[in-house]
Amino acid sequence: MKFNITVPGIVLMFLLNCSCHQKEMKSNMHFPDSVINISYQKCSSDTSQSYWIALPPNWDSIQRRPLIIAFDPHGNGKLAVQSLIGAATDFGYLVAGSNVIRNGYDKMENAFAALTGDILNRYQVNKDRMYTVGFSGGGRFAQIFSQMNPDIKAVISIGAGSVFNQSGAPGNKLPLLFLVGDEDFNYMEIINSYKNLELLGFKSYVFEFHGKHEWPERQIMDEALLWFEFDDCRRNKTRKYDPLIRDYLEIINEKAGRLMADQDNMQACEEYEKGIAFLAELVNTKSMAKKIKLCRESPGYKDNLDKKQYALNLETRLQQGYISALNQKDTLWWRNEIRRLDQELNDKNDPYLLSAYNRVKSFISMAAYSYCNSSLRENDLDRAARLITIYRTVDPANPDGYYFSALYYSRSGQPGRATEYFRIAVDSGFSDFQKALNELPGDIYKAGFLTK
């Protein structure tokens, strides 16, 4: 089986998206977040491996609980756990987040084994209800983990497309939910993944929300976690008539019905599609399928579909052009181009074009980051200097640009300037300190935290 955990390429696929959550979903065991116990643990078999774990409020040492193992692209296990806190408060999950597995980490198999083994030895886990979630590069790790651990029953990949391709034959064809913001630079890759996984025999769906490339807000994440709950309802006969199924069906029908009444048939269609994906085999979905057909036959639906497709085609062309421009154009050209894109955003009122242009701007920043990173890793300082200047031009508020400057000056034999820029990066919000600790000399790293 082949996995791809490199920077995603540019792909184009027919758009199939879904709408955001509109009504709060709570189980009848909801507890306030303030009573959650979140603790730091080192793996006893390998103390270089560690994780944060949240225990549900009514935790005891006897009852076996469902488990989510989560991955953040920067190895921020605490952030991963906090982003999934509703799993513990609403549904009684254990939620663990790795502090070690991160973008660029190459000892995955040992880390996965140490992490899982320690959790299973330390806590009472229902091995029939083990799941995994990851954001960005963490989403790719979550998918790989699901193939290395057959106990994993379902996956949520946030802001990252599939790591599987047609030349592989994944053994664990488990339900896979993609969660993506409508302004996420990986949007195109994720839309494409849905169709690819269908061909490979996966049950998958793309849940779209309004947002960027980031861990989603609590309301969105809580709804996405129903993907795991309904997976258990399908496999566990005792939950065949779980009230959660009825409640969610009511929410879907209420939201979609309101959208149809407002003549927003595109969004109504997407809401029904989401309902079918989440509730398949649990309810009779024929009524929702009929409503989808009505939506698609309604006036204006095809026009909106054509607008979406036009925006996606434009986005693909722009991305391809900007990849070439990063290798060819100077800072002045980029300054003018970013100004032009900002003007397009100010002038446009088509929501599909607005989302596409926002994704393109994020894509430029991501691509520039990747090129800066690779140039510095290869110690090509001349290329790195040019790309860092471009990166700080296209995304001036991003602290990573200052961090790259610090790394550049450190490798250019200018420790004073390196320290200055690392201080600016930290003051601007840079937080990937493990990366900095690995790449910067110790004196520069320490000086970056000292006040002037």
Side-chain angles (χ1 to χ4, degrees), residues 319-329 334 371:
Q319 287 183 352
Q320 291 170 339
Y322 288 137
I323 285 292
S324 298
L326 281 170
N327 292 314
Q328 299 171 1
K329 302 297 184 180
W334 276 105
Y371 278 29

Side-chain angles (χ1 to χ4, degrees), residues 123-278:
Y123 304 99
Q124 292 293 319
V125 173
N126 180 351
K127 290 187 68 176
D128 195 47
R129 294 204 61 199
M130 290 175 57
Y131 305 102
T132 184
V133 176
F135 162 61
S136 192
R140 302 178 197 279
F141 285 124
Q143 293 175 61
I144 295 170
F145 178 52
S146 75
Q147 298 303 305
M148 292 183 173
N149 189 329
D151 288 327
I152 299 299
K153 297 299 188 294
V155 178
I156 297 175
S157 179
I158 307 163
S162 171
V163 300
F164 311 114
N165 60 38
Q166 298 300 317
S167 63
N172 194 8
K173 295 182 181 180
L174 69 184
L176 206 168
L177 179 68
F178 294 103
L179 201 55
V180 61
D182 59 358
E183 295 182 4
D184 191 322
F185 56 74
N186 276 342
Y187 184 90
M188 303 290 284
E189 175 200 2
I190 292 164
I191 296 302
N192 185 60
S193 292
Y194 168 75
K195 289 295 184 182
N196 286 342
L197 286 182
E198 274 195 332
L199 297 174
L200 288 172
F202 281 79
K203 169 185 168 58
S204 66
Y205 187 67
V206 179
F207 180 164
E208 182 180 334
F209 63 95
H210 179 59
K212 299 181 180 180
H213 189 70
E214 57 197 359
W215 283 100
E217 63 181 36
R218 170 69 180 272
Q219 190 180 30
I220 301 302
M221 199 66 245
D222 282 2
E223 183 179 8
L225 289 168
L226 294 174
W227 188 256
F228 297 155
E229 287 297 297
F230 295 143
D231 167 74
D232 186 54
C233 290
R234 274 184 284 271
R235 293 186 295 107
N236 185 345
K237 292 182 179 179
T238 66
R239 298 190 67 185
K240 183 178 180 180
Y241 300 107
D242 194 304
L244 198 62
I245 299 170
R246 180 196 64 236
D247 292 346
Y248 192 61
L249 180 61
E250 288 178 359
I251 286 174
I252 293 292
N253 283 326
E254 177 189 340
K255 171 75 179 296
R258 198 170 347 111
L259 289 166
M260 287 185 74
D262 292 339
Q263 301 298 309
D264 191 349
N265 291 299
M266 178 71 75
Q267 290 295 320
C269 180
E270 291 161 0
E271 196 69 19
Y272 284 126
E273 287 168 346
K274 181 175 64 177
I276 290 175
F278 273 66

Side-chain angles (χ1 to χ4, degrees), residues 54-68:
L55 305 182
N58 52 359
W59 166 260
D60 61 57
S61 60
I62 299 175
Q63 184 180 1
R64 294 188 179 274
R65 299 297 187 128
L67 168 68
I68 294 174

Side-chain angles (χ1 to χ4, degrees), residues 402-422:
Y402 297 111
Y403 171 73
F404 283 139
S405 291
L407 198 55
Y408 167 79
Y409 284 118
S410 172
R411 296 185 179 177
S412 300
Q414 302 178 63
R417 298 207 71 184
T419 300
E420 175 188 353
Y421 274 101
F422 186 50

